[in-house]
Amino acid sequence: MHGGPAGLGGWISGARLRTLPLAIAPVALGTGAAVVAGDGGEFHWVRALFALLVAVSLQIGVNYANDYSDGIRGTDDHRVGPARLTGGGAAKPRAVLTVALVFFGVAAVAGLALIVVSQHWWLLVVGAAAIVAAWFYTGGKRPYGYLGLGEIFVFVFFGLVATTGTTYVQVDTVNLESWLSAVAIGLMACAVLMVNNLRDIKPDKVAGKRTLAVRIGARASRVVFCVFLLVPFVVAAFFALFYPLAWFTMFVLLLALPASLIVATATTAKELILALKLTSLAALLYGVALGLAFAL
C-alpha cells in the first residue's frame, strides 16, 4: 500500500519521536551520576548537552536508517504499525538514506566536539562503533537485527555506553551509580524494542526478519518484556536506600505496571502500540527521576 509524497508531518513521523526518551534518559542518569562523582557536585552542562545531542541524533539516525533498510528489503510491506516512508512509498529510498546519514553526521560532529573538550581521544573508537552498530542493525547483507541480536545492541549502546559515557566525559570516572543505572535504563530500552517486535511477529516471520520475539515466540516475549521493564525498579529501590529522593522513581510504576498488564493480555496491535508509548514514557520519567535523585 503506497501513499503520496511525505510532507513535514511524514518526515517527523519517520523520526519516530516516541523512541527519543531512550536517548534522553541515559544522559539524564549519566549526568546525575557525574554530579555525585564530581568534586563538590562538579557539573559540566556543556558536555552534558553535547552528550544529549550525540544520543538524540544517533537515535533519529537509527530510525531513518531502519526505515530505509527495511523498506528496500520489503520487510515493511506487511507491517501492522504506522506506515514507513520508504516501505509506504511516501519518500524515495535515497532521500531517507540521506536524512539518516545527516543525523549520523550530526552525532559524529557533536561526539568529536565532546572528545576535543574532554581530551579523551580513545572515545573516537567508541563513537565509530556506535555509528557502525546503528547502521548494521538493519543495514548491510547480514543485519544483526534480523538475527535476534537487536536487544544486545540496544542494551550496550543505549544503556551502558550512553549512560557511563555521559558520566565519564564530565568527571573522568564512572561510579556505581552510573553503572547500575546504565543497566537499568538499558533493560528499559530493551523492553521498548521487545514490545515493538512482539507487535510485528507475524509480518517479521513473513519477511524473514528473525527478531528475538520471533525466535522465542509471543508467550516468552511477553514474559521477557515484563522482566526488562520491572527489574530496573529493583535497582531504583536499592538506590533509594542511599538517595531518599530515588523513592519517587517508584511512581513510574504507574506507567510500567499497566504496560506490563497490557502486554501480558494484548490481542491486537493497537494494544501493543499503547504499551509501547507507555514504556517509552516510563523510560524517560525513570531516567529523569533517578538522575535528579542523584544530583539533588
Side-chain angles (χ1 to χ4, degrees):
M1 185 174 164
H2 292 257
L8 179 61
W11 283 100
I12 292 174
S13 176
R16 307 183 203 179
L17 299 184
R18 71 175 61 129
T19 65
L20 294 192
L22 305 182
I24 299 169
V27 175
L29 288 167
T31 299
V35 172
V36 172
D39 295 329
E42 181 183 4
F43 171 54
H44 294 281
W45 65 271
V46 173
R47 298 185 189 186
L49 286 177
F50 272 125
L52 182 62
L53 183 57
V54 170
V56 169
S57 300
L58 196 57
Q59 178 68 66
I60 295 175
V62 167
N63 292 340
Y64 282 120
N66 290 353
D67 188 306
Y68 167 77
S69 297
D70 283 344
I72 62 171
R73 275 195 174 83
T75 305
D76 285 338
D77 290 351
H78 307 285
R79 66 176 281 107
V80 293
R84 296 294 181 226
L85 292 166
T86 309
K92 293 182 178 179
R94 183 178 290 274
V96 178
L97 175 60
T98 299
V99 173
L101 294 176
V102 166
F103 277 100
F104 284 148
V106 171
V109 171
L112 185 59
L114 197 51
I115 289 167
V116 170
V117 170
S118 67
Q119 289 294 298
H120 295 302
W121 294 98
W122 62 272
L123 288 174
L124 281 169
V125 177
V126 178
I131 292 175
V132 168
W135 173 254
F136 285 104
Y137 174 55
T138 55
K141 291 184 178 180
R142 288 182 60 80
Y144 62 87
Y146 282 56
L147 302 174
L149 302 175
E151 280 77 6
I152 294 176
F153 158 75
V154 165
F155 180 77
V156 170
F157 286 98
F158 285 95
L160 302 183
V161 172
T163 309
T164 62
T166 298
T167 304
Y168 186 74
V169 296
Q170 292 186 57
V171 291
D172 297 338
T173 188
V174 181
N175 52 7
L176 183 65
E177 286 82 357
S178 187
W179 279 115
L180 283 184
S181 60
V183 169
I185 204 62
L187 289 173
M188 295 186 91
C190 288
V192 170
L193 182 59
M194 178 58 78
V195 69
N196 184 72
N197 290 341
L198 176 61
R199 180 197 67 199
D200 292 335
I201 280 182
K202 289 182 179 178
D204 283 346
K205 276 185 178 177
V206 172
K209 185 176 183 180
R210 295 184 55 77
T211 61
L212 181 60
V214 169
R215 286 181 176 272
I216 66 177
R219 180 177 296 179
S221 294
R222 295 173 198 268
V223 174
V224 170
F225 168 83
C226 293
V227 171
F228 282 158
L229 185 54
L230 299 179
V231 166
F233 292 94
V234 177
V235 175
F238 167 75
F239 279 129
L241 299 175
F242 310 96
Y243 300 95
L245 290 178
W247 285 116
F248 285 101
T249 310
M250 292 304 174
F251 281 108
V252 182
L253 282 168
L254 294 173
L255 295 174
L257 290 175
S260 298
L261 184 60
I262 291 169
V263 168
T265 60
T267 56
T268 66
K270 191 173 182 180
E271 291 171 284
L272 292 172
I273 290 171
L274 173 59
L276 174 61
K277 292 177 180 177
L278 290 173
T279 306
S280 292
L281 182 56
L284 175 61
L285 294 179
Y286 181 96
V288 171
L290 191 53
L292 284 173
F294 293 151
L296 301 177

